[in-house]
């Protein structure tokens, strides 16, 4: 064998070895199942495909949990992991799922909304594949997903995504982004089917309030806020003022723009009777000018580059050496959710919703997020679900 063939062969073997190691890691990540414990409030578990049949048997199908009160009242839909790289959403959803007791009305929870996106990653940005939350009994492991669904599940991408039904031209990537594919359609691209399934839940179950829970960059103005369209903005404003006065954290209101299509806070309100709210908590991990995208950065939000940018007033949230820990973000989501429900119930007392046993901001900050998760080894096997 000539010298050049030897070098080529060695090079090829090294490439195959790297591809095998990486491929195995991506395969395991894609197939890793997160464990959800259905708490005492759960009365029924459905699938998104029960509302959009074409999702049956696809990776985009996902669990939908119902917590129905004994008394009739309004219905709330809590959607988490529209973007699976914004995990304060799923952690908040699981606090509600594992602990909430609904006395009046119904709470519907989708903890892993874009299930394909939850099995995708962003190797170019050096994303870790998993993170763990310490609990009172060990640690609970989660996948870190991506903003978009995996191209393995929805491909090829168009040159430009033409939003349905508005026909607005959006980025090609947004065809896999379940916060651009609302209101969706049953025979559209897979992610339009996912948002259509959620729209059908809202229409068929007559949902009053929809919460789409996210995290956003600290350098992006639409962060640490509640986004709401005209018909929901009074409740959003009362919520923002109340949590600031009573619980001491900022959470301003952003009006949902009517000219920017495909977003949950716009299309849900326009295509159903439901009042939509999109919740954003600050997420330093998503900011561009940070150090490496580590699990520590995801969980504690501490970054020296953001700290210096904060001193130059380049951030849209207060920021110091303490970063922006997960417990603060999750605590905010819990309190804002409970307060939106409270404000709705004040406005429509005949359709009030009563939920108890869910911690508010101060309690989550004091006890940590993991304190509210139950040990799957200690609960009835029938109460365990995988996503
Ligand atoms: Zn998001």
């Amino acid at each position: 064998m000539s010298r050049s063939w030897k070098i080529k062969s060695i090079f090829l073997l090294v490439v195959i070895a790297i591809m095998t190691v990486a491929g195995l890691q991506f395969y395991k990540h894609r197939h890793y199942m997160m464990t959800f414990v259905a708490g005492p409030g759960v009365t029924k578990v459905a699938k998104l495909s029960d509302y959009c049949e074409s999702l049956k048997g696809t990776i985009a199908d996902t669990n939908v949990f119902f917590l129905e009160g004994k008394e009739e009242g309004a219905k709330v839909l809590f959607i988490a992991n529209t973007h699976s790289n914004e995990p304060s959403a799923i952690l908040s959803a699981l606090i509600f799922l594992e602990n909430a007791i609904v006395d009046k009305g119904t709470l519907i929870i989708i903890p892993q909304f874009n299930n394909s996106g939850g099995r995708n990653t962003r190797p170019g940005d050096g994303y870790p594949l998993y993170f763990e939350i310490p609990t009172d009994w060990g640690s609970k492991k989660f996948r870190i997903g991506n903003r978009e669904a995996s191209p393995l599940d929805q491909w090829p991408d168009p040159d430009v995504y033409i939003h349905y039904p508005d026909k607005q031209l959006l980025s090609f990537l947004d065809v896999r982004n379940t916060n651009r594919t609302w209101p969706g359609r049953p025979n559209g691209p897979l992610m339009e089917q996912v948002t259509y399934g959620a729209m059908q839940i809202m229409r068929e179950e007559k949902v009053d309030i929809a919460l789409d829970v996210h995290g956003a960059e600290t350098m992006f103005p639409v962060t640490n806020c509640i986004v709401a369209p005209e018909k929901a903005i009074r409740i959003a404003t009362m919520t923002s003022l109340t949590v600031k006065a009573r619980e001491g954290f900022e959470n301003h209101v952003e009006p949902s723009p009517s000219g920017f299509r495909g977003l949950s806070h716009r299309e849900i309100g326009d295509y159903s009777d439901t009042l939509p709210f999109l919740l954003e908590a600050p997420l330093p991990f998503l900011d561009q000018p940070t150090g490496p995208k580590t699990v520590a950065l995801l969980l504690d939000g501490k970054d020296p580059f953001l700290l210096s940018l904060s001193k130059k007033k380049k951030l849209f949230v207060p920021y110091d050496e303490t970063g922006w820990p997960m417990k603060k973000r999750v605590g905010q989501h819990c309190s804002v959710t409970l307060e939106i429900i409270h404000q709705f119930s004040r406005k429509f007392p005949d359709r009030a919703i009563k939920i108890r046993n869910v911690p508010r901001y101060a309690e989550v900050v004091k006890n940590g997020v993991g304190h509210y998760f139950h040990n799957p080894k200690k609960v009835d096997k029938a109460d365990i679900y995988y996503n």
Side-chain angles (χ1 to χ4, degrees), residues 305-343:
F305 302 102
L306 289 183
L307 190 59
S308 70
L309 285 164
S310 154
K311 286 172 185 152
K312 294 180 176 126
K313 306 219 178 309
K314 300 287 184 199
L315 307 189
F316 287 91
V317 292
Y319 193 88
D320 59 22
E321 286 77 6
T322 59
W324 207 285
M326 186 62 90
K327 57 189 180 182
K328 271 175 77 175
R329 292 175 248 158
V330 171
Q332 270 189 215
H333 286 324
C334 289
S335 271
V336 170
T337 299
L338 291 172
E339 196 54 43
I340 286 173
I341 290 169
H342 174 68
Q343 293 297 335

Side-chain angles (χ1 to χ4, degrees), residues 76-94 96 108-111 113-114 178-179 182 210-216 225-227 264-265 268 276-281 283 329-334 336-337 340:
V76 185
L77 173 62
F78 186 113
I79 299 172
N81 279 23
T82 295
H83 296 145
S84 296
N85 52 348
E86 300 166 8
S88 58
I90 188 170
L91 299 176
S92 315
L94 295 195
F96 278 86
I108 306 167
I109 305 173
I110 309 179
F113 184 53
N114 188 340
T178 41
N179 200 22
W182 295 94
L211 302 154
D212 183 16
V213 184
H214 289 251
C225 63
I226 310 167
V227 190
S264 61
H265 51 74
I268 289 173
F277 301 86
L278 186 142
L279 275 47
E280 294 279 18
L283 179 49
R329 292 175 248 158
V330 171
Q332 270 189 215
H333 286 324
C334 289
V336 170
T337 299
I340 286 173

Side-chain angles (χ1 to χ4, degrees), residues 100-364:
I101 308 281
V102 180
D103 292 320
K104 190 172 183 335
T106 299
L107 175 61
I108 306 167
I109 305 173
I110 309 179
Q112 177 59 64
F113 184 53
N114 188 340
N115 199 31
S116 166
R119 295 164 192 282
N120 193 11
T121 181
R122 208 182 288 187
D125 277 1
Y127 269 27
L129 295 175
Y130 310 93
F131 70 94
E132 290 187 20
I133 295 290
T135 71
D136 303 346
W137 42 265
S139 68
K140 194 168 171 73
K141 187 174 169 181
F142 296 85
R143 290 187 311 266
I144 302 174
N146 199 358
R147 186 175 169 84
E148 289 86 22
S150 169
L152 292 172
D153 305 318
Q154 184 182 303
W155 194 81
D157 293 331
D159 290 337
V160 174
Y161 172 42
I162 302 167
H163 175 260
Y164 175 84
D166 189 77
K167 295 194 171 67
Q168 186 171 64
L169 302 184
L170 300 174
S171 155
F172 74 98
L173 262 182
D174 284 334
V175 73
R176 287 188 274 121
N177 175 354
T178 41
N179 200 22
R180 294 296 181 279
T181 58
W182 295 94
R185 55 188 150 171
N187 53 354
L190 194 59
M191 293 308 114
E192 284 190 3
Q193 296 173 36
V194 169
T195 48
Y196 177 81
M199 287 302 305
Q200 286 303 99
I201 294 178
M202 290 181 247
R203 292 176 189 128
E204 286 177 25
E205 304 290 342
K206 302 204 181 338
V207 169
D208 297 86
I209 299 170
L211 302 154
D212 183 16
V213 184
H214 289 251
E217 295 88 339
T218 61
M219 295 185 76
F220 183 56
V222 186
T223 190
N224 206 27
C225 63
I226 310 167
V227 190
E230 305 76 17
K231 65 180 187 181
I233 210 144
R234 272 185 73 92
I235 289 176
T237 305
M238 284 307 294
T239 298
S240 166
L241 293 170
T242 310
V243 295
K244 167 111 166 105
R246 293 224 178 116
E247 301 184 57
F249 66 86
E250 291 283 348
N251 207 240
H252 72 278
V253 176
E254 286 279 342
S256 165
S258 59
F260 189 11
R261 307 311 305 195
L263 293 129
S264 61
H265 51 74
R266 171 49 46 196
E267 309 294 352
I268 289 173
D270 286 3
Y271 286 92
S272 73
D273 296 328
T274 307
L275 296 177
F277 301 86
L278 186 142
L279 275 47
E280 294 279 18
L283 179 49
F285 182 86
L286 288 188
D287 280 294
Q288 286 301 323
T290 68
K293 303 293 184 194
T294 60
V295 170
L297 176 61
L298 182 75
L299 297 182
D300 64 24
K302 286 183 197 166
D303 183 79
F305 302 102
L306 289 183
L307 190 59
S308 70
L309 285 164
S310 154
K311 286 172 185 152
K312 294 180 176 126
K313 306 219 178 309
K314 300 287 184 199
L315 307 189
F316 287 91
V317 292
Y319 193 88
D320 59 22
E321 286 77 6
T322 59
W324 207 285
M326 186 62 90
K327 57 189 180 182
K328 271 175 77 175
R329 292 175 248 158
V330 171
Q332 270 189 215
H333 286 324
C334 289
S335 271
V336 170
T337 299
L338 291 172
E339 196 54 43
I340 286 173
I341 290 169
H342 174 68
Q343 293 297 335
F344 176 90
S345 303
R346 274 187 52 181
K347 203 168 171 207
F348 305 101
D350 54 318
R351 299 199 38 74
I353 309 158
K354 281 189 192 140
I355 297 179
R356 61 191 158 88
N357 210 32
V358 177
R360 293 189 83 116
Y361 178 73
E363 293 163 85
V364 181

